[in-house]
Amino acid sequence: VTDPARAVRPTAGTHVALGSVSAGREGFVTSHREARLAASLGARGLVPSTVPVIRFDQVALLAAALEDEVTARVCAGHLLAPLEAAGARATELAATLVAWARTGLSPRAAGRQLGVSERTVRYRVERLEELLGADLRTRLPELVLAVEMTRALDAQRRSRSTTGFVE
């Protein structure tokens, strides 16, 4: 099997986490560590329940960023603090930032993904540049990661509060 994830079919409501395929003892240790990090995201409800197989290569950066929750919150808060000036629109601006980045900076494709017009995406990107700085494109990876960390940490906080876990 070239893609081990295709061979795994967990039962409904179950996550399976996979590390990279590696040879030898060191490869096993690395793969196991990666799978544990990926499984941690699933266990904390930070991966959509519709994703039965969590591959480390698809969540590696988020797993690393969330390994230390306090640091993740401080970093994400610092990077996204300027969005607070947008008030209630901060959430839609953050979603636009991620969609725009994931569609190769295409306002048309991002608009389709978000269900808004291309013009709306262009307007929001201009607003993001006003708030976050003209170097938005060069800072895009770290800003998208900050948005994803914030989403994941917020989901984790909500999950903890519904299960009675107190922080």
Side-chain angles (χ1 to χ4, degrees):
V1 176
T2 56
D3 182 5
R6 292 180 186 230
V8 179
R9 291 186 177 77
T11 59
T14 304
H15 289 289
V16 173
L18 300 175
S20 57
V21 177
S22 303
R25 181 186 185 287
E26 190 58 37
F28 172 80
V29 170
T30 299
S31 182
H32 186 258
R33 183 179 306 123
E34 291 171 354
R36 283 183 41 224
L37 286 166
S40 171
L41 294 179
R44 292 186 282 169
L46 304 180
V47 175
S49 59
T50 57
V51 177
V53 179
I54 306 167
R55 293 175 42 153
F56 181 74
D57 62 341
Q58 295 172 340
V59 297
L61 195 54
L62 187 60
L66 296 175
E67 189 63 12
D68 177 357
E69 187 175 332
V70 172
T71 301
R73 285 188 190 282
V74 169
C75 290
H78 172 76
L79 289 168
L80 300 176
L83 281 183
E84 291 178 18
R89 299 203 52 228
T91 302
E92 72 183 19
L93 288 172
T96 301
L97 177 75
V98 172
W100 183 61
R102 289 194 174 151
T103 59
L105 310 184
S106 167
R108 177 175 287 155
R112 280 194 306 264
Q113 186 177 334
L114 296 168
V116 299
S117 73
E118 179 179 345
R119 183 176 175 171
T120 298
V121 173
R122 289 184 193 282
Y123 168 78
R124 289 179 185 174
V125 169
E126 287 175 12
R127 182 69 175 130
L128 283 161
E129 288 175 335
E130 289 172 14
L131 293 168
L132 298 171
D135 61 343
L136 181 64
R137 285 170 181 79
T138 61
R139 298 179 53 226
L140 205 51
E142 68 192 52
L143 292 168
V144 169
L145 178 58
V147 170
E148 293 297 343
M149 286 189 314
T150 300
R151 286 180 182 169
L153 291 166
D154 289 348
Q156 179 173 283
R157 180 177 281 153
R158 285 190 304 275
S159 173
R160 286 178 177 168
S161 67
T162 60
T163 59
F165 181 83
V166 179
E167 291 189 59

